[in-house]
């Protein structure tokens, strides 16, 4: 059985892959937090790390319980502004501002959505496709919040 087939048809493999993704995001935020000096940027990164950690914990609980019933209570799909296509802030430096850091967080969340959406496409018609779709929707809601924050603080109306 291939890895793709396992994550599409095996509950445990599907959640393990999602947990690994969330752990990579958490580590990226943590490493970036240790790098940046700006207090506002650090605060944004802490909040993003906590959010990813909580999402990962929900996945771990689903794995322990053997079901995703509490995941089904996540939000409905929301529209996003696609700010990542404008900024593509793939990393930050030690002197990064809050604006750069928030653009980086937006990029990381967009990467997570792309990861889950790719799995949805790969697993179309398989038992785990709806789980990946729900995970994508959940991260999309987080992305919308980050984009709203960016718009509120850094985009000015003409």
């Amino acid at each position: 059985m291939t890895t793709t087939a396992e994550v599409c048809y095996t509950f445990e493999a599907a959640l393990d892959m999602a947990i690994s993704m969330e752990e990579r995001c958490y580590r990226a935020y943590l490493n970036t937090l240790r790098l940046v000096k700006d207090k506002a940027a650090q605060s944004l990164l802490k909040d993003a790390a906590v959010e990813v950690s909580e999402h990962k914990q929900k996945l771990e609980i689903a794995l322990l319980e053997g079901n995703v019933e509490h995941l089904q209570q996540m939000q409905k799909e929301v529209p996003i502004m696609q700010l990542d296509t404008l900024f593509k802030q793939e990393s930050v430096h030690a002197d990064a501002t809050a604006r750069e850091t928030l653009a980086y967080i937006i990029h990381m969340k967009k990467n997570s959505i792309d990861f889950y959406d790719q799995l949805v496409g790969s697993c179309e018609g398989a038992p785990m496709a709806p789980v990946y779709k729900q995970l994508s929707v959940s991260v999309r809601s987080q992305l919308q919040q980050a984009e709203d924050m960016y718009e509120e603080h850094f985009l000015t109306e003409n």
Side-chain angles (χ1 to χ4, degrees):
M1 187 180 270
T2 66
T3 303
T4 302
E6 288 176 7
V7 300
C8 293
Y9 291 96
T10 306
F11 180 79
E12 186 171 329
L15 288 181
D16 279 342
M17 183 169 270
I19 290 167
S20 293
M21 172 61 181
E22 299 297 329
E23 178 65 24
R24 285 191 301 273
C25 289
Y26 175 80
R27 289 290 164 194
Y29 290 141
L30 183 62
N31 291 336
T32 305
L33 175 62
R34 292 174 176 157
L35 173 71
V36 299
K37 298 173 190 171
D38 183 83
K39 295 295 181 193
Q42 289 175 344
S43 179
L44 289 168
L45 288 163
K46 283 179 186 176
D47 289 346
V50 167
E51 192 171 55
V52 165
S53 180
E54 290 171 348
H55 198 235
K56 180 178 163 250
Q57 183 181 29
K58 287 179 183 178
L59 296 171
E60 291 168 334
I61 291 169
L63 187 59
L64 285 171
E65 292 178 351
N67 66 64
V68 291
E69 288 177 14
H70 71 283
L71 294 179
Q72 302 304 326
Q73 298 170 358
M74 292 181 184
Q75 303 87 351
K76 293 183 179 182
E77 192 160 343
V78 294
I80 55 175
M81 290 184 268
Q82 303 291 337
L83 290 181
D84 183 52
T85 57
L86 292 173
F87 306 128
K88 283 289 186 204
Q89 186 77 40
E90 296 179 9
S91 63
V92 292
H93 49 86
D95 295 321
T97 64
R99 182 181 196 149
E100 293 168 314
T101 302
L102 190 52
Y104 169 71
I105 291 167
I106 287 168
H107 177 73
M108 292 291 292
K109 291 190 181 300
K110 180 64 170 91
N111 281 349
S112 293
I113 291 167
D114 292 346
F115 173 81
Y116 289 127
D117 286 350
Q118 183 178 2
L119 287 171
V120 169
S122 298
C123 297
E124 190 173 336
M128 293 299 108
V131 173
Y132 289 129
K133 181 64 179 170
Q134 191 60 48
L135 292 171
S136 174
V137 168
S138 177
V139 177
R140 188 175 292 272
S141 176
Q142 295 171 8
L143 174 58
Q144 181 196 37
Q145 292 171 359
E147 286 182 337
D148 288 349
M149 183 184 301
Y150 193 97
E151 180 182 33
E152 178 183 342
H153 295 285
F154 302 115
L155 294 180
T156 58
E157 293 186 24
N158 294 329

